[in-house]
């Protein structure tokens, strides 16, 4: 398995994998051979993509050398989870902002912040917003990108002052 970050999937990357294989000679002797294989991870490749290097495995006289296969896997990310070409992000929003509205600053994979205008609306726990075109590239069309799908976790206060309760009660 070859682990790649979401940033690497976003831009593409070359991964080098060191392999060692056994080469058996006609006289029965065995030698170990080391080799570095280069994997060109293309932008947008999905977890589970299989890359096969033909005849790079162990060699036995009179037989075709085995193939070596690597499978691409996503490394967990601290902010995003992957859903195809979309990136899922959970925004932790204070109750006041959820009720009164706000302009939210949503992070992207390339370390930018994109403004999401939620002024004048109430954000509920099941509210979902999309930032179109800020997700991962599509593997078949790398010029097009998925979205960042924003879900919300509403942060409730641990306590309220008497005056805050009075205002809410009215």
């Amino acid at each position: 398995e070859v682990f790649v970050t979401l940033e690497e999937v976003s831009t593409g990357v070359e991964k080098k994998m060191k392999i060692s294989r056994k080469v058996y000679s006609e006289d029965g002797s065995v030698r170990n051979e080391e080799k570095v294989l280069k994997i060109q991870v293309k932008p947008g490749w999905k977890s589970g993509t299989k890359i096969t290097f033909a005849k790079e495995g162990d060699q036995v006289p009179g037989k075709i050398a085995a193939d070596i296969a690597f499978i691409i896997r996503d490394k967990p990310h601290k902010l995003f989870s992957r859903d195809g070409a979309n990136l899922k992000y959970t925004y932790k929003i204070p109750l006041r902002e959820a009720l009164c509205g706000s302009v939210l600053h949503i992070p992207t994979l390339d370390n930018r912040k994109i403004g999401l205008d939620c002024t004048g609306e109430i954000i509920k726990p099941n509210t979902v917003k999309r930032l179109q075109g800020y997700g991962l590239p599509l593997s078949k069309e790398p010029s097009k990108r998925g979205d960042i799908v924003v879900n919300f976790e509403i942060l409730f206060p641990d306590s309220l002052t008497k005056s805050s309760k009075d205002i809410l009660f009215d």
Side-chain angles (χ1 to χ4, degrees):
E1 291 184 320
V2 179
F3 287 89
V4 292
T5 66
L6 291 178
E7 289 84 356
E8 290 170 336
V9 171
S10 181
T11 58
V13 69
E14 179 180 271
K15 289 285 190 175
K16 293 178 180 167
M17 302 300 291
K18 191 174 188 179
I19 61 159
S20 65
R21 65 180 184 176
K22 291 184 170 72
V23 179
Y24 295 86
S25 303
E26 296 283 347
D27 64 9
S29 64
V30 180
R31 75 179 200 287
N32 277 335
E33 211 175 70
E34 289 198 342
K35 188 173 187 177
V36 174
L37 299 177
K38 293 180 181 175
I39 300 169
Q40 292 295 333
V41 177
K42 303 275 190 273
W45 269 10
K46 294 179 177 70
S47 184
T49 299
K50 188 175 180 181
I51 302 96
T52 304
F53 290 88
K55 302 179 184 144
E56 292 290 351
D58 292 347
Q59 285 184 323
V60 179
K63 291 188 177 171
I64 297 170
D67 294 346
I68 289 188
F70 295 101
I71 296 172
I72 300 295
R73 295 282 180 230
D74 292 335
K75 279 185 188 169
H77 195 275
K78 66 183 189 297
L79 295 178
F80 301 104
S81 61
R82 184 177 184 178
D83 182 14
N86 294 332
L87 295 172
K88 290 175 14 184
Y89 175 72
T90 300
Y91 189 93
K92 292 178 172 21
I93 186 168
L95 181 60
R96 180 194 319 231
E97 285 182 35
L99 293 173
C100 300
S102 179
V103 175
L104 313 177
H105 299 281
I106 308 299
T108 64
L109 266 184
D110 56 2
N111 294 317
R112 292 182 295 151
K113 298 262 188 202
I114 304 299
L116 182 60
D117 189 355
C118 296
T119 53
E121 61 182 294
I122 294 176
I123 294 174
K124 300 179 180 82
N126 60 351
T127 299
V128 176
K129 297 281 186 185
R130 293 180 97 86
L131 290 172
Q132 290 189 328
Y134 288 98
L136 294 171
L138 305 180
S139 58
K140 304 279 188 238
E141 284 184 83
S143 61
K144 293 186 177 169
R145 298 179 88 82
D147 303 335
I148 293 180
V149 179
V150 184
N151 293 293
F152 294 92
E153 179 183 325
I154 298 173
L155 304 172
F156 284 81
D158 292 325
S159 62
L160 287 176
T161 63
K162 169 108 174 68
S163 62
S164 293
K165 286 181 186 176
D166 291 344
I167 291 167
L168 288 171
F169 198 70
D170 290 345

